[in-house]
Amino acid sequence: MAPLMFALIAFGVALTVTVTGMAATRLYLGWIWIGTMLFYALWWLLLGYPPLLPKGWPTRSQ
C-alpha cells in the first residue's frame, strides 16, 4: 500500500509543478518532460532509493 501512496504523493507534487509552469510560461512540452522526470525522481526517493539494477546483474567489470 505504501508504494501506491508514495506514487500518489509524487504525482500530486509533479502535477502541481507542471500545471503551474505551463500556466506561467506556455512551454507545454518542456513542462510535461520536467513533470514526468520529477514524478519518477520523487517516487524513487520516497521508496527509499531502491537499486536500479537487480542483484546479480552483470556489470562491465565482470
Side-chain angles (χ1 to χ4, degrees), residues 37-61:
M37 294 297 106
L38 181 63
F39 167 72
Y40 285 112
L42 284 174
W43 195 13
W44 183 71
L45 191 143
L46 289 170
L47 287 174
Y49 303 106
L52 298 176
L53 296 175
K55 291 183 180 179
W57 189 270
T59 61
R60 292 182 186 204
S61 62

Side-chain angles (χ1 to χ4, degrees), residues 5-15 35 38-40 42-43 46:
M5 295 304 295
F6 291 157
L8 291 175
I9 292 168
F11 181 76
V13 171
L15 182 66
L38 181 63
F39 167 72
Y40 285 112
L42 284 174
W43 195 13
L46 289 170

